[in-house]
Amino acid sequence: MNAPETKVPRVVIIGGGFGGIELAKSLKKAPVKVMMLDKHNYHTFQPLLYQVAMGAIPADSIGFPIRRIFTDQDNFRFFLADVQKINPESNTVTTDIGDIDYDYLVIATGSNTNFFGNKEIEHFAMPMKNIPEALNLRSLILQNLEKALVTKTYNEREALMTFVVVGGGPTGVELSGALAEMRQLILMKDYHGLKKQHMKVYLVEGKDKLLAAMSATASKKAKQYLSEKSVTIYNGVHVQSYDGYELKIDDGKVINTRNVFWAAGVKGEVPDGIPQQEITRGNRILTDNISRVNGFQNIFAIGDVAAMITPDMPNGLPGVAPAAIQQGQHLAKNLLHIIKGEPTLPFKYFDKGSLATIGRNQAVADLGKLHLYGFVAWLLWGVVHIMSLAGFNNKVGVFMTWSFNYLRRNSDNRLVVRYFNTETRMTDPEAK
Ligand SMILES: Cc1cc2nc3c(=O)[nH]c(=O)nc-3n(C[C@H](O)[C@H](O)[C@H](O)COP(=O)(O)OP(=O)(O)OC[C@H]3O[C@@H](n4cnc5c(N)ncnc54)[C@H](O)[C@@H]3O)c2cc1C
């Protein structure tokens, strides 16, 4: 008589970001079938999106094909699919390529830009959450400088050359620092006729300091470095409206600008099908301390989309890559415990520290009680980011590009390959 066949459980992971990739890798030797679904066929290294937007590095160098990561993993399958809905009653997910069954489902869909419900700002301001959006920023910056060269009116030229970054977290600080550096090092080399003093860079932040999640030293130094680069910083004020021409701030200031870059917040990218009562502040899914979604036995959420609220972490984990990576690794172990009927282990977050760069030779770093800034922090920032990039080619490529850029005080990726249509606010392949 044949032994009864035991079914190999299928773990479906939605999202090939930091959390999803780490989870799938950690399940390499597990007796499960791993199926990953993502609407992109590549993993994105979001921390360097602003460098793509500024034309400092090529877009391809911060993406890596998901299939290529798992070439040697026999229990892994990938499908390019946009997940539309989760159906817990039938243990299926609905996608644009059909319905897919799961035994265990892990939601690792990350987050998206939060415009806090302001539709006008959402339409006219530029988000930067993925590679296509970073390329839109790159095109808009370069197109507007081209227009500034030929425009006849002073007001229009001023608006085309005024850049407003909203949000004083790491992304906003890095982007405004890079814009100010472009003004300093590139503008007059590339655009004969435009003057440094005509290009304005503003950074608007609602809190009374920059880098609010970092130490007081980091916050103070970031402000000092940006001020030295002539970035105008408005703290403790909020953007009220932006109609594509005038940006209004709640203290009465009005800035005439064609370039508003929104780095003021994110919200969880929750697929339909999760009950509303399990979704909390920041549109994140409430989980217990093993990443299991409240109210479900076989649905889990990790990374930016999850809110693991514990007594140690009353606001959940920070929305950073190490938190997603650690949750992915930990969930892999717990899934095996669950499958074997063993007790699970609660997740503990290990804070590795925070880094942000403001520009050439300037960065800030919090490593526990140690606060670094200046050249040492900048070197550390560079090493950490190179090491964290996916793929050997990307690591070497970015290192070489950075080295040449540093020595020449210039870069080679300022290309408008996808024209950004400022009327439709979309990429326009037909336009010249
Ligand atoms: C500009 C920027 C700079 C950052 N800088 C840093 C930094 O310096 N250090 C740091 O630690 N963190 C940084 N972060 C945050 C960090 O990138 C996130 O915390 C991290 O990416 C979260 O990982 P995740 O796995 O939860 O989601 P993500 O890495 O965002 O991955 C989510 C994946 O899900 C996919 N997906 C989403 N919805 C669907 C769907 N419906 N169907 C199919 N697939 C879907 C997406 O395509 C994506 O591949 C930065 C983020 C941004 C935007």
Side-chain angles (χ1 to χ4, degrees), residues 104-178:
Y104 299 94
L105 178 68
V106 183
I107 306 167
T109 41
S111 53
N112 215 329
T113 305
N114 195 349
F115 293 95
F116 304 98
N118 190 322
K119 291 285 168 206
E120 191 191 47
I121 293 179
E122 181 169 351
H123 183 70
F124 288 108
M126 307 287 286
M128 192 185 61
K129 258 311 254 168
N130 51 46
I131 293 176
E133 288 176 355
L135 288 172
N136 285 346
L137 247 82
R138 184 173 87 180
S139 295
L140 184 76
I141 295 168
L142 300 173
Q143 287 169 213
N144 280 350
L145 291 177
E146 295 290 343
K147 283 185 193 162
L149 263 179
V150 293
T151 192
K152 300 275 183 286
T153 63
Y154 175 85
N155 274 359
E156 182 58 8
R157 192 185 60 201
E158 186 190 35
L160 290 164
M161 293 183 69
T162 296
F163 296 84
V164 182
V165 179
V166 187
T171 302
V173 163
E174 292 178 347
L175 191 56
S176 53

